[in-house]
């Protein structure tokens, strides 16, 4: 990717939205909500503090994150759609519970 966000901005690729409910009902594209999860594609250098120093970002490339439904700005680059958000618009980093269990089992 050739996009390098500035300061505390993060480039995110939205993950596909669910197309069926838990009961098996298919949701049409027009009725589906925008996905609020994505994969971090690129991060900026950090948030600029009042004294001019940069604070490193808490997210890194490859993280799966949770963000607001209407957060950020959508852009198109090389035929792909991405979302540019500020780090403060990201609510959480989602960790895979299965990976954590495997790591604990290996340590034991």
């Amino acid at each position: 990717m050739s996009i390098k966000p500035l300061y505390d901005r993060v480039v995110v690729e939205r993950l596909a939205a669910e197309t069926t409910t838990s009961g098996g009902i298919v949701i049409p594209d027009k009725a589906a909500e925008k996905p609020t999860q994505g994969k971090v594609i690129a991060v900026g250098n950090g948030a600029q503090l009042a004294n001019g120093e940069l604070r490193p970002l808490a997210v890194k490339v490859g993280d799966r994150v949770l963000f607001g439904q209407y957060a950020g700005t959508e852009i198109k680059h090389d035929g792909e759609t991405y979302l540019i958000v500020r780090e403060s618009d990201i609510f959480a980093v989602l960790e895979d519970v299965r990976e954590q269990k495997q790591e604990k089992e290996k340590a034991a």
Side-chain angles (χ1 to χ4, degrees), residues 31-104:
E33 293 184 4
K34 288 184 179 182
T36 57
Q37 292 183 26
K39 180 179 176 186
V40 175
I41 302 298
V43 297
N45 295 332
Q48 188 168 17
L49 303 173
N51 63 4
E53 293 181 17
L54 292 178
R55 178 188 53 81
L57 299 181
V59 297
K60 61 187 181 302
V61 174
D63 281 349
R64 187 172 174 170
V65 295
L66 182 65
F67 50 87
Q69 188 172 5
Y70 299 104
T73 302
E74 280 192 1
I75 61 162
K76 291 196 182 225
H77 180 70
D78 292 339
E80 298 289 329
T81 302
Y82 299 103
L83 187 66
I84 297 181
V85 298
R86 288 188 178 272
E87 182 188 31
S88 61
D89 291 336
I90 296 174
F91 300 140
V93 175
L94 301 172
E95 297 176 352
D96 191 354
V97 175
R98 289 174 289 194
E99 286 180 15
Q100 290 176 358
K101 284 183 181 178
Q102 289 173 355
E103 289 175 13
K104 285 182 183 178

